[in-house]
Amino acid sequence: MDEESPVADLTPAAVRRRFTAAAWGSAAAWPVLTAAVALVLLWWLDMDRDEVMTADFAAAGLLPLVLMTLYLADDAVRTVRKEQQEVAESASGLVSAAHGGDASEVRTNARRFGNSLLQARSAFNTRVLPRQTTLGFARRVLGEAEGGGLSPASLRAVEELARMAR
């Protein structure tokens, strides 16, 4: 990728969409992975369809598997929501610091905010937000914070991200 190419803006709506997609994707991935592993396991154990379709096998084998899969899917969604909450809390801290006027506190909170954006991960340890766009946005916010305060546009964007916590 060309380093000179312009970086698209990271909008609050795009961040919310990415977190929503990460939550749904993480939740949907567990049943797909479980089904794939179950098919391979059944093939390896040389179980035919008649054995699998019995009520005893369903009660003893499938019910715990379904419950475990539902738990893992729920845990994956909670993981993404926790990351979203961390981004919202760091944005809220930055907004409070920006309104407070203490330049060192604004810089500290801007760094924390940028780090929380860059470190947001799904349950499968994949990035929630695109790296280049997020890095560009975080650098812009940090640069403004070090330059004496956030611009009105950046402050509005951070305020919108802080509302994700509600």
Side-chain angles (χ1 to χ4, degrees):
M1 185 171 146
D2 183 15
E3 291 297 323
E4 298 296 321
S5 64
V7 177
D9 282 338
L10 189 67
T11 64
V15 171
R16 282 192 298 276
R17 279 194 308 270
R18 296 287 285 209
F19 273 107
T20 300
W24 280 99
S26 295
W30 277 110
V32 171
L33 289 172
T34 303
V37 169
L39 289 174
V40 170
L41 186 61
L42 291 173
W43 171 79
W44 184 64
L45 294 172
D46 197 29
M47 296 183 80
D48 61 7
R49 183 183 170 156
D50 294 334
E51 289 177 277
V52 173
M53 297 309 250
T54 64
D56 292 337
F57 181 80
L62 293 181
L63 186 59
L65 185 64
V66 168
L67 293 175
M68 180 195 68
T69 302
L70 289 174
Y71 171 77
L72 291 173
D74 181 61
D75 185 57
V77 171
R78 279 186 278 133
T79 299
V80 173
R81 294 298 179 214
K82 181 184 73 74
E83 294 285 334
Q84 183 178 8
Q85 186 70 27
E86 287 178 14
V87 168
E89 286 173 2
S90 66
S92 181
L94 180 55
V95 169
S96 296
H99 289 304
D102 183 12
S104 66
E105 191 174 328
V106 172
R107 282 193 301 273
T108 302
N109 281 293
R111 280 190 193 92
R112 181 175 172 246
F113 173 69
N115 286 338
S116 69
L117 282 174
L118 289 167
Q119 294 172 354
R121 304 259 185 226
S122 73
F124 293 95
N125 202 28
T126 57
R127 289 183 194 278
V128 173
L129 302 170
R131 184 180 180 281
Q132 290 296 334
T133 304
T134 306
L135 187 59
F137 182 72
R139 283 181 178 161
R140 187 179 85 210
V141 169
L142 182 60
E144 290 174 5
E146 290 176 345
L150 297 179
S151 70
S154 294
L155 187 58
R156 270 193 307 278
V158 174
E159 286 172 343
E160 284 290 320
L161 290 173
R163 289 190 193 118
M164 286 192 309
R166 298 178 196 147

